[in-house]
């Protein structure tokens, strides 16, 4: 198994909300519009997100802000 595969971490919605500062409905709205990373099914009604993808999204928001400023 390569090193990157062992470093992947899944985070549940409450942590995503803390990381991004978004509301739950905003996360789903942006996901549906292709503006936020897609969730990973954990079975049943449980979902999670790949932490590195969420962090990358946060960094892209910061980069967009810096381009405008």
């Amino acid at each position: 198994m390569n090193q990157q595969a062992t470093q992947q971490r899944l985070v549940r919605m409450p942590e995503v909300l803390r990381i991004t500062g978004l509301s739950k409905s905003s996360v789903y709205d942006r996901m549906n519009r292709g503006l936020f990373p897609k969730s990973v099914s954990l079975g049943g009604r449980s979902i999670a997100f790949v932490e590195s993808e969420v962090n990358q999204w946060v960094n892209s928001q910061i980069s967009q802000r810096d381009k405008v400023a």
Side-chain angles (χ1 to χ4, degrees):
M1 191 177 270
N2 69 30
Q3 186 176 2
Q4 181 155 351
T6 60
Q7 293 179 356
Q8 294 290 355
R9 181 172 173 246
L10 296 176
V11 292
R12 301 290 301 271
M13 183 62 83
E15 189 166 355
V16 171
L17 301 182
R18 281 192 296 276
I19 291 168
T20 64
L22 295 172
S23 67
K24 193 177 195 180
S25 60
S26 291
V27 168
Y28 283 119
D29 180 55
R30 290 171 193 236
M31 261 179 32
N32 289 335
R33 293 188 293 146
L35 301 174
F36 194 82
K38 292 186 178 183
S39 59
V40 176
S41 175
L42 299 178
R45 295 178 57 198
S46 298
I47 63 161
F49 295 83
V50 179
E51 183 180 38
S52 61
E53 292 176 0
V54 174
N55 289 332
Q56 184 178 6
W57 179 86
V58 169
N59 289 332
S60 74
Q61 298 306 298
I62 294 168
S63 293
Q64 286 179 15
R65 177 208 60 193
D66 292 345
K67 286 180 186 176
V68 174

